[in-house]
Amino acid sequence: MPRFYVDTPLTGAGELALPPSAARHVQVLRLQPGDALTLFDGSGPEWQAEVTAMGRSEVRVKLLAAGQPQRELRRQVTLAVVMPANDRMDFVVEKATELGAAVLQPLMSERSVLRLTGDRADKKRAHWQGVAIAAAEQCGRTVPLQVAPVQTLAAWLAALPPAAPDEWRGLLSPRAAEPLAPLVQPRAVFLSGPEGGLSEAEEDAARARGFAAVSLGPRVLRADTAPLAVLSWIALT
């Protein structure tokens, strides 16, 4: 059954006009009155619905019943990722959504290739949020990954509050000897650097904010592979 995200609250059974983006998707699929679909607004519930009218610019649906599917990870995971170059960040956002991350924090570090500021950063963030929504529609999540504003690593670390007792903070480091261990905390924040890793000074700054340096083994993983490997591990622990 087709699934669509709508950017307006779904508050109760009844008929409504779909927002333009969802309406376009329904039109592209050539759904007709009487066809079933699933809608979600990002707040958790998932609504079964039925197309009631197809117009040139408006699509109307009837909400039938809401469910509360449990498809989120047992832990709330934030991935803080120094952005890889080219279009590989799209891949990271898409797969992080599928694997269950709650928040993705795009960062710039000393060795960053991709640097974004101002309007360019805002446009990229909006694009990545769209990638996350499309991935949520496909994979069945009802709460899409939230893409945070682009920041420098230094600014992000400086603004972090002290780690809470129920939160684990991990830092992927080629200098680390300790492997990842099964988690017991309900929340996790993981910091992953660019190709070549973070500088020693950046790692020291992360440790000062409660991050424990960990290793994923003897192989060198790309900047777009490492955070997804960690997320997969967290999802299984």
Side-chain angles (χ1 to χ4, degrees):
M1 185 185 303
R3 298 180 78 250
F4 303 102
Y5 170 80
V6 295
D7 57 3
T8 56
L10 301 174
T11 57
E15 190 170 302
L16 74 154
L18 290 179
S21 59
R24 283 194 297 271
H25 289 160
V26 170
Q27 291 167 331
V28 167
L29 290 178
R30 300 182 183 276
L31 298 184
Q32 297 299 317
D35 286 344
L37 67 163
T38 301
L39 302 175
F40 64 103
D41 62 8
S43 64
E46 180 178 80
W47 285 84
Q48 302 308 309
E50 179 182 286
V51 177
T52 58
M54 293 285 294
R56 179 168 295 181
S57 59
E58 183 181 73
V59 175
R60 297 193 68 82
V61 301
K62 179 169 64 176
L63 299 179
L64 301 175
Q68 290 281 352
Q70 300 299 318
R71 302 186 187 124
E72 297 302 305
L73 292 185
R74 290 182 300 139
R75 294 180 175 83
Q76 185 179 33
V77 182
T78 295
L79 283 183
V81 179
V82 176
M83 300 175 293
N86 303 319
D87 294 326
R88 286 187 288 159
M89 191 65 175
D90 286 22
F91 176 82
V92 172
V93 172
E94 179 182 82
K95 301 310 174 187
T97 302
E98 292 177 15
L99 290 168
V103 178
L104 189 141
Q105 173 62 65
L107 296 171
M108 295 176 289
S109 69
E110 291 180 18
R111 296 171 181 164
S112 287
V113 175
L114 180 60
R115 295 186 177 275
L116 301 171
T117 58
D119 289 344
R120 189 165 172 241
D122 293 339
K123 289 178 181 178
K124 275 292 188 182
R125 181 197 181 192
H127 167 73
W128 291 327
Q129 191 63 63
V131 171
I133 288 170
E137 291 176 335
Q138 182 276 326
C139 75
R141 288 187 66 177
T142 58
V143 183
L145 170 82
Q146 294 299 305
V147 181
V150 177
Q151 295 190 62
T152 64
L153 174 60
W156 179 70
L157 287 174
L160 274 182
D166 65 346
E167 178 185 79
W168 174 81
R169 291 181 177 179
L171 160 67
L172 180 61
S173 171
R175 306 176 185 89
E178 291 295 323
L180 270 175
L183 301 185
V184 295
Q185 295 92 334
R187 296 191 296 148
V189 182
F190 190 82
L191 172 58
S192 184
E195 304 291 350
L198 300 175
S199 70
E200 289 190 37
E202 288 173 328
E203 286 197 10
D204 289 343
R207 288 191 183 92
R209 304 303 292 173
F211 285 82
V214 295
S215 169
L216 293 181
R219 292 174 302 282
V220 177
L221 302 183
R222 295 182 66 114
D224 53 334
T225 304
L228 300 177
V230 171
L231 184 55
S232 298
W233 173 259
I234 293 173
L236 293 172
T237 59

